[in-house]
Amino acid sequence: MKDWSEAFSALGNPERLRLFLLLVHQDEAGGLCVCELVEALGIPQYRVSKHLGALRRAGLITNVRTGRWAYYSVACSQPAKDLSAFLREALPASKVTDELEQLRKSLSLRVNGRCVSEKR
């Protein structure tokens, strides 16, 4: 029950919910880096990083480091899987259309599937 309580608490913040929704709807991208999330949401990097930390501590997301980049994706925990499935249905991609459009632009700039933010 503690896992669920922490998950709901983490998603109680609107910016964290938007972050999680982007990760849910772009899970096939192989993870999203902080700079891509910053561009998609239009909020400062320090706030995105802070919110990602809260989502990670709640067990909803995980990250993989590749060089100096960290790529975030939905975790394999049961609460994360269940909430992800629920949110796909309850809050479809149409609820975050602008953010997803900006995110897709950022993803189109990747080279070999990896972020190249310093080359922009």
Side-chain angles (χ1 to χ4, degrees):
M1 192 58 112
K2 183 181 176 190
D3 292 346
W4 283 98
S5 176
E6 290 174 357
F8 282 118
S9 177
L11 293 176
N13 178 287
E15 287 181 346
R16 285 196 290 267
L17 179 58
R18 287 172 57 211
L19 276 168
F20 190 67
L21 277 172
L22 287 178
L23 292 167
V24 164
H25 288 295
Q26 287 297 311
D27 205 33
E28 70 276 358
L32 301 173
C33 76
V34 174
C35 60
E36 292 165 338
L37 292 165
V38 165
E39 288 181 26
L41 295 171
I43 59 176
Q45 182 271 326
Y46 73 91
R47 282 197 355 227
V48 170
S49 293
K50 177 181 152 188
H51 291 318
L52 288 170
L55 292 170
R56 197 178 71 243
R57 285 188 299 279
L60 294 175
I61 64 171
T62 186
N63 70 315
V64 175
R65 288 212 166 268
T66 304
R68 64 184 199 173
W69 284 276
Y71 293 90
Y72 293 85
S73 57
V74 176
C76 293
S77 68
Q78 198 59 50
K81 288 180 188 178
D82 292 345
L83 284 170
S84 180
F86 170 76
L87 289 173
R88 280 184 193 273
E89 195 169 316
L91 296 170
S94 61
K95 298 293 184 185
V96 285
T97 302
D98 294 338
E99 290 95 341
L100 284 171
E101 184 178 324
Q102 182 59 46
L103 185 58
R104 287 184 183 116
K105 287 178 187 176
S106 294
L107 292 173
S108 72
L109 300 174
R110 284 184 171 189
V111 174
N112 296 325
R114 294 293 169 208
C115 179
V116 291
S117 65
E118 79 278 1
K119 294 183 181 179
R120 291 185 197 163

